[in-house]
Every structure is written in C-alpha cells, then in structure tokens.
Amino acid sequence: MKKCLLLIAILIVSQSNILKAQSLIIGPDTVCVNQPIQLSTNDTNQSSYYWGFCSGSLNEIPTWPPPVGTNEGNNFGFHIPANIDIVEDSGLYYGFVVNSETTEFLRLNYGNSLANTPSVTNFGNLNNGLPINPTSLFILKDSFSHNWYIFVSGGFTQATSQLGRIDFGPHLSNPLPNIANFGNYAHVLNGPKGIFVGEGSGSHWWGYVVNHNTNELIQLDFSFNVSNTPLMYDLGAGFTLSFPTDLAAIKDNNNWYMFVTNEGNNTVTQLFLGTDLDTATAGLAASAGPISNGLGLTSSTSFNFRIDIPSSISVTKDCGNIFAYITDSTTNQLIGIQMDLFPGSPSASSYSAVDYNNVGAMNHPSGISTILRDGDNLFGFVCNAGDSTLTEIEFKQCTNSSIPSYSEVNPPAFSYDTEGVYNVYFVINQGLPTMQVQCKTITVIAPPPIYMNDDTTICQGDTIKIHVVSDQADSIVWSAASNIDTTNLFSDSVKVYPNFNTAYGVTIYYPYGCIVDTTLRVNVINVTADAGLDRYIIDGATTVLGGPNTSSGNYTYLWTPYVYLSDSAVPNPAAYPPTNQTYYLTVTAQGNGYQCTAKDTVNVFVNCADIVLPNAFAPNSENAATAIFGILNKEIAQLNYFRIFDRWGVQVYETTNPLQGWDGTFNGQPEPVGVYVWEADAFCASGKEIKKSGNVTLLR
C-alpha cells in the first residue's frame, strides 16, 4: 500500500546515510554490566550531534523488549479504515487514513511527537475525486519540486477501480489539498491493493500496484514528472500472487525489492527488480514462500508463527537493517521479520521472524504504517477494520543506561545496569541535507566470576594483603592509591598499609572487551590514648586524668595501677595518690576479626607543702568522706596537734593521729551548726614543718 521508507530522497538524506564502510561511532562492542563506556566519533566539526544510549530498536533479538501496543479507541472518525501511513514534515508528524466504507480521506495531526494523541482533519471525498472504497495509500515527497503527494487506489471491482493523487504542495499541513483522479487507464485495474511510487534511473518515475481480483502486477509510468497522469501496464499474473492484499517496496544496496502479501495461499511474495524500477531493464523475479510457514517454504529457516490471511505489510529500514511487519486479519497477529536482502534469486534472502501475537488489541487489522523513528522511540500504527479503532505500536527506548542521551560531540562515560543487547543511536546534523545516522549495538554481559577479599578492617599502622582473582582475566591493574606496594600493581594481590579508610580500585580486563572496575575497601581503626600531661598536686588533693585526644565512642578504657582512682574504666577518672604515681591508660577498639589498642602514661607528682582540709562537713551524711572532718594529706610523718575550737574559743576536739578526724561531737553530744576554727602543726615525711589554721562549717 505504500511503504518504501517514504521517499528515496528522504532515505538518501537520513537512514540510507548510515555509513557502513567507515563507522561514525568509535567504541566497544561488548562490555560488562556497570562497565564505564566511552564512545566517540572522528567527525568532530558538524553543526549538531545527538547520542541516544538506550535507543529503541527493531532488531529481532530474543532479549530485545517486544513492542508495546496501545489501542487508542475509535474517536478518530474511522469507518472501516483500509490503510494508514505516517510521515514527518518540518518537525511535525502526520498520519493519513482512508475509510473504505465512507470513501473519506483523514489526516491525523500528531504535532511534534508521535506519542501525542492526534487531532483529526477529515477531508471527506475531496469533491468526489477520491477513488470509491479506497484500499491503499502511499506518501511521497518529490526530490526535485519538494512537494508532497499522496497516491490512493480504490475500488472492489474492475468497474469501480481507480487511482488518484492528492497534492499537498510544500507542506502536509495544507488545509486545502488538490486531488487528481486518474481513473482506470485501459481498464487494467481490478481491485487494486497496495501502491508504491518511486524515482528510478534517469529521474524517471515508476509505480506499482497489485490487482487483488486477478493476481496481476500493474506498472505505472509517470515519465519524468511524478505529477503526470501515469500510463498503466498489466505485467500479468506470473509472479506467484494469490489474491494479494498489500505491497511494499524498498531500495537496498542500489537494488529494488517489493513484497506482496497474499491471502489466497497465506504467503508473502518477494519481487526482485534489480537496479531500476523499470521492468524492461530489470530482471523481475518472484518467490513465494521464504517468509511463510505453512505454504511454499523453500528455505531452511523455520518460523514459530503461521500467517493466516495476511492483510498488510510495511517495510522499514532502521539502523542499517531492513524490517518487514505483517498484520494478520484473521488471528489479529503482528509478525516482525528482519531481512538480509541479496541480489539475484529472492530465495537466497535470509529472514528471521518474531510473532508478537495480538499487539494493542488489533481487531481485523487492515493496514499498517511505516515504522517511523521519533528520537529514541519508534512508532507504527495499525488501523482496525473490525471496530474502526487505531492501534499504536511503540518500540520504546530502554531505561538501563546511566545517561539516556547527550547532545554534544564528546559524550561522557555511561554504563548499562543489566545484561542485554542495547542500541546506540547517533545522529549528525539533524534535519539538514548533510544529516547522517548510525546505530551501534553493544552487548552487555555479566562479569565472569571474581574472587576477592571482603571489605576488611585493620588497625592503623598495620599492613594487609588484599587480592582479586578471576581465571578468565587477561590482566589486573591496581590503582596507585595511597600507601600501596607499587611493585605489585599488575598482580592479583597487593600489600596495603593505609592510615585512614581507603577504597583501593582495581581494573580487570577480559579478552572479549569486558572491563570490570571494582574497589576493595580497607577500613582503618585509629585508636588514640591520651593520659594527659604530667602534673604536680598538693598532698591530699585530687586531679582528673586523661587528655583531650583520647578516642571517644565505642571503646574500652583501662587505667593501671588501679590504686587511688575513682574509676579505672573511664576516660577521665579522678586520682588522689598519696605519693608520686605513674598511671597507664590503655584504649581498645574491638570488632569482628580485629582488636586495636593504644597506650599512654601520665606522672602525678605529690608535693607535701601545705595542710589540706575541706571547708565544710556534715556529720549526718551517709557519705563517709564528708561525715568526718580530718586532714587529707597522706605525706604527714608526724602530727604534733590538730585542734578545733567553737566560736567562744572552747576546744571541742584534738588529735595527734593524722588519720583521725572530728565527728562533730563534744563530750558525746552533737555540736550545733556553725563555723569552727581549726589549727594544726605537723611534719612532712621530708622533714618540713607545716603550721596552719583555718575555718570549717559544720552542717547538719
């Protein structure tokens, strides 16, 4: 019905500009999951660039996601639609549909994206110029005049069969297109289905349709102007056609091919025309079967589907490959076929096929459009005669790339997070006559088995050997991080001695392009013990041990010796040694498989140069330390006297034993609350005499 990838001129500018001899994309073919991929191009002086790293693809690869189908309902004015096609013009997308029942011509206005829901322009029968009961349409842009034309065939019998051309001028947005009805020249048309028009050699325009009723191939001769009324020639029925339902054509490697679906024997006929569209100079040949499963199977390829009354076919070139899509009007199935075309005998062609079953609730599908790329997604549309609905078919871009796309010449490194086959879509000079397109397939595999240390923990100052081993690796390279044995950077094990938490990077290279970058983390436990500065205290005084640099948190602390300390298991105990004393602090961090310690010391020097007493006491206190008022010195060698007087000068207590103190009584009776005066005369162990007096408050 159409579908030669729209127009030769457009193909030359776009998809047929995919370079095969010289690749535009430089980069690996096989990588591992999460491997950084750096792509580049040698063509670095162009006006625009576009990289799609996870672009949709038509490749019939088992791991490739199938198309997503959506039935968009019957709100588009369809009345038993017979055919549909889509096209892009000046950044806007359009679809065109012919209604068989009502003889109407419709335009679907998608705007700037085929993902939009289209508005509809119903041109009616174009002043009765549209062929009655239209069956097929084909969209074409003249490479010389740059005008748009849509050819329409129609009619169920020879008497009603006609061919027409709708002229849109420079833009498909034209609200008032003209139509020319060519009628049925020499009465050669008889139920025409499928139409194709293209430019042959010498700027000569040719077209083809197939007669459903008589199994004949009809040639259209437009001479040197596609806007001429064509001459029509009946090429006969010798092309293995059997009640043909649609026709599509494509040019590949300078050779022309046509494909015809046949409902009479459930086959697809391939016609090889050679290098020109004129059958007078081309060796026209035909084969029925290499695509069908039930009848005429002449190749060794076996397809897991059955074509049962095929209704339409579309042929598309994308990313340098050729694909055909067939709808089945009985089973409502969609068949996708990837083709490798060869000149000469059509049976030498190679095909691989996928049965997508019913995509998007197709209901007696009657026409399928070209599969058209819109950025990183591809769209096709099917019109359904069964319920007059529209089915959208979308080959979506994937979401497995760390960066979906990029619009400058040098893209950043990216990666794929899942195994599979991914399509990179690269465009230079989008929309310009110098536009070039190329696709690159990147296979992403799971990394081979790798055996390595778990992340580990060591104490600061220790050395550990870490290793990474993979039997399939070509080479292993460690990054030259801090505190690493650089003499072994190219071996599978290396010694490290970090001073702080460090992730050591290692790159593993495999022979098939896979590169694995991974890290092995070594956590460092840094334990610090700070017992504090050496200090001097007065005999009988108390000092707090420990400095500010001791590690705090989930650590254990141990002070030794344990004597004259408030607590030996805290970072800052109180110490009250009677004589000079050295204390040792041990700080320990302990976990799964490690125990790290640090030690420090502090000297406490005791100076017997004064009498040390508290300034208050409470005899009724439950705390023995505050219930007795006595000398705190530990270095008193001789106490001549220690006396206490009340406010009237009456002596209420006296002792010569430095270890004894006053309990707040006199003659067995508690003394009242108040201020008392004390005086003492003593000799230190060093022989120094100390005399001192002072006040103390008795509390109850």
Side-chain angles (χ1 to χ4, degrees):
M1 294 180 183
K2 42 221 166 248
K3 302 151 194 163
C4 175
L5 269 188
L6 183 57
L7 174 66
I8 294 85
I10 295 177
L11 291 177
I12 294 174
V13 171
S14 59
Q15 293 296 345
S16 61
N17 267 353
I18 297 172
L19 300 185
K20 294 184 178 180
Q22 179 180 359
S23 177
L24 288 175
I25 305 175
I26 302 172
D29 298 320
T30 303
V31 298
C32 277
V33 172
N34 296 322
Q35 174 181 332
I37 305 168
Q38 185 66 66
L39 300 181
S40 62
T41 180
N42 287 326
D43 208 340
T44 59
N45 192 27
Q46 304 299 326
S47 61
S48 69
Y49 297 87
Y50 179 81
W51 299 86
F53 302 119
C54 213
S55 187
S57 175
L58 303 180
N59 285 321
E60 309 295 351
I61 301 173
T63 59
W64 207 274
V68 176
T70 304
N71 191 296
E72 299 188 321
N74 59 358
N75 300 317
F76 304 100
F78 292 177
H79 297 283
I80 308 184
N83 199 215
I84 184 172
D85 206 2
I86 55 175
V87 71
E88 184 267 335
D89 178 25
S90 303
L92 300 176
Y93 294 93
Y94 300 94
F96 293 92
V97 176
V98 286
N99 279 336
S100 176
E101 182 182 43
T102 55
T103 308
E104 293 175 305
F105 178 67
L106 310 177
R107 180 176 65 198
L108 307 178
N109 310 292
Y110 284 91
N112 60 4
S113 174
L114 287 170
N116 296 333
T117 299
S119 63
V120 180
T121 303
N122 191 332
F123 294 103
N125 61 15
L126 295 170
N127 297 320
N128 295 319
L130 196 68
I132 298 173
N133 304 124
T135 56
S136 309
L137 64 85
F138 180 80
I139 308 171
L140 180 147
K141 186 175 183 181
D142 185 354
S143 59
F144 178 76
S145 68
H146 303 292
N147 289 326
W148 287 95
Y149 303 99
I150 298 181
F151 292 87
V152 179
S153 64
F156 296 148
T157 66
Q158 185 179 41
T160 60
S161 296
Q162 294 176 325
L163 181 68
R165 186 192 68 235
I166 304 171
D167 303 340
F168 275 87
H171 296 290
L172 290 171
S173 59
N174 186 350
L176 297 172
N178 297 316
I179 187 168
N181 191 309
F182 304 136
N184 188 354
Y185 178 82
H187 303 288
V188 299
L189 301 177
N190 194 339
K193 293 240 182 151
I195 181 170
F196 159 72
V197 179
E199 186 177 9
S201 62
S203 299
H204 196 121
W205 291 86
W206 301 92
Y208 289 91
V209 295
V210 287
N211 278 340
H212 175 266
N213 298 338
T214 58
N215 301 323
E216 295 166 325
L217 179 66
I218 307 300
Q219 184 186 59
L220 311 175
D221 184 355
F222 294 89
S223 187
F224 300 103
N225 191 335
V226 73
S227 63
N228 289 337
T229 298
L231 300 175
M232 304 182 191
Y233 301 101
D234 185 352
L235 300 183
F239 302 101
T240 67
L241 305 183
S242 180
F243 297 102
T245 57
D246 199 6
L247 177 150
I250 195 165
K251 189 176 185 179
D252 181 58
N253 291 327
N254 207 37
N255 288 301
W256 284 98
Y257 302 85
M258 291 193 300
F259 298 87
V260 181
T261 50
N262 302 291
E263 70 174 15
N265 56 12
N266 307 326
T267 63
V268 176
T269 297
Q270 176 188 298
L271 300 172
F272 172 69
L273 283 78
T275 58
D276 200 359
L277 288 172
D278 182 9
T279 57
T281 58
L284 187 64
S287 173
I291 302 175
S292 71
N293 186 42
L295 297 173
L297 184 62
T298 59
S299 73
S300 60
T301 305
S302 178
F303 304 130
N304 295 320
F305 68 91
R306 177 178 177 84
I307 298 176
D308 189 11
I309 309 184
S311 56
S312 65
I313 184 170
S314 170
V315 180
T316 297
K317 180 182 284 187
D318 184 71
C319 293
N321 296 315
I322 299 172
F323 305 89
Y325 292 90
I326 301 171
T327 59
D328 194 307
S329 62
T330 300
T331 63
N332 300 319
Q333 295 180 104
L334 175 68
I335 309 300
I337 303 170
Q338 183 169 340
M339 302 183 289
D340 295 324
L341 300 179
F342 302 97
S345 172
S347 61
S349 301
S350 175
Y351 305 91
S352 60
V354 174
D355 183 356
Y356 293 119
N357 296 312
N358 190 331
V359 176
M362 293 191 300
N363 188 343
H364 293 282
S366 53
I368 183 170
S369 73
T370 299
I371 307 298
L372 189 61
R373 181 174 286 277
D374 180 2
D376 285 311
N377 298 303
L378 296 106
F379 292 87
F381 294 88
V382 173
C383 56
N384 299 298
D387 55 8
S388 294
T389 59
L390 177 67
T391 292
E392 176 194 86
I393 300 170
E394 183 179 4
F395 295 82
K396 291 187 176 183
Q397 70 181 116
C398 61
T399 58
N400 301 107
S401 173
S402 60
I403 302 173
S405 61
Y406 195 71
S407 299
E408 295 183 20
V409 59
N410 294 313
F414 66 100
S415 61
Y416 297 105
D417 61 11
T418 306
E419 296 175 67
V421 180
Y422 297 92
N423 183 47
V424 176
Y425 180 68
F426 182 47
V427 186
I428 292 176
N429 298 336
Q430 177 80 43
L432 300 178
T434 56
M435 176 177 169
Q436 296 183 60
V437 175
Q438 189 174 70
C439 294
K440 179 179 180 60
T441 298
I442 297 180
T443 301
V444 180
I445 62 176
I450 299 174
Y451 307 95
M452 57 190 296
N453 295 83
D454 293 330
D455 290 346
T456 189
T457 300
I458 65 172
C459 303
Q460 188 179 49
D462 289 350
T463 298
I464 189 173
K465 179 180 283 189
I466 56 178
H467 68 268
V468 171
V469 178
S470 183
D471 295 337
Q472 301 179 32
D474 270 350
S475 61
I476 296 175
V477 181
W478 294 89
S479 301
S482 61
N483 294 2
I484 189 171
D485 179 9
T486 57
T487 62
N488 289 300
L489 292 181
F490 298 93
S491 64
D492 54 14
S493 63
V494 64
K495 292 180 180 179
V496 296
Y497 41 95
N499 290 320
F500 45 83
N501 295 347
T502 303
Y504 288 95
V506 59
T507 303
I508 309 170
Y509 297 89
Y510 294 92
Y512 36 82
C514 174
I515 301 173
V516 176
D517 287 313
T518 187
T519 57
L520 201 158
R521 185 175 180 84
V522 178
N523 298 314
V524 179
I525 302 299
N526 183 5
V527 181
T528 303
D530 182 4
L533 299 175
D534 292 348
R535 77 280 312 273
Y536 290 85
I537 64 171
I538 297 173
D539 179 26
T542 299
T543 184
V544 177
L545 304 181
N549 298 319
T550 294
S551 299
S552 60
N554 190 23
Y555 299 89
T556 59
Y557 306 92
L558 179 63
W559 291 88
T560 56
Y562 309 128
V563 296
Y564 307 110
L565 291 175
S566 61
D567 192 333
S568 63
V570 296
N572 301 104
Y576 42 92
T579 59
N580 296 345
Q581 182 67 55
T582 298
Y583 289 102
Y584 300 87
L585 170 63
T586 301
V587 181
T588 302
Q590 188 167 351
N592 185 16
Y594 68 87
Q595 178 174 307
C596 304
T597 61
K599 294 183 178 182
D600 194 26
T601 62
V602 59
N603 293 307
V604 180
F605 300 100
V606 180
N607 183 7
C608 183
D610 196 1
I611 297 293
V612 180
L613 288 138
N615 57 11
F617 78 110
N620 295 331
S621 173
E622 295 180 357
N623 186 349
T626 59
I628 299 296
F629 176 64
I631 296 174
L632 300 178
N633 296 58
K634 306 301 180 183
E635 287 287 296
I636 298 297
Q638 177 180 331
L639 179 63
N640 295 327
Y641 58 81
F642 172 51
R643 301 169 181 153
I644 301 173
F645 304 89
D646 64 16
R647 58 181 178 172
W648 294 282
V650 177
Q651 179 176 310
V652 295
Y653 180 75
E654 180 179 12
T655 184
T656 58
N657 185 347
L659 300 180
Q660 291 182 351
W662 182 41
D663 62 0
T665 63
F666 179 58
N667 292 329
Q669 298 296 320
E671 283 292 293
V673 172
V675 177
Y676 293 79
V677 176
W678 61 267
E679 60 182 21
D681 183 0
F683 285 93
C684 293
S686 62
K688 179 180 179 180
E689 183 179 12
I690 305 173
K691 285 186 177 183
K692 190 175 181 179
S693 61
N695 298 326
V696 63
T697 301
L698 188 152
L699 304 172
R700 298 252 181 215

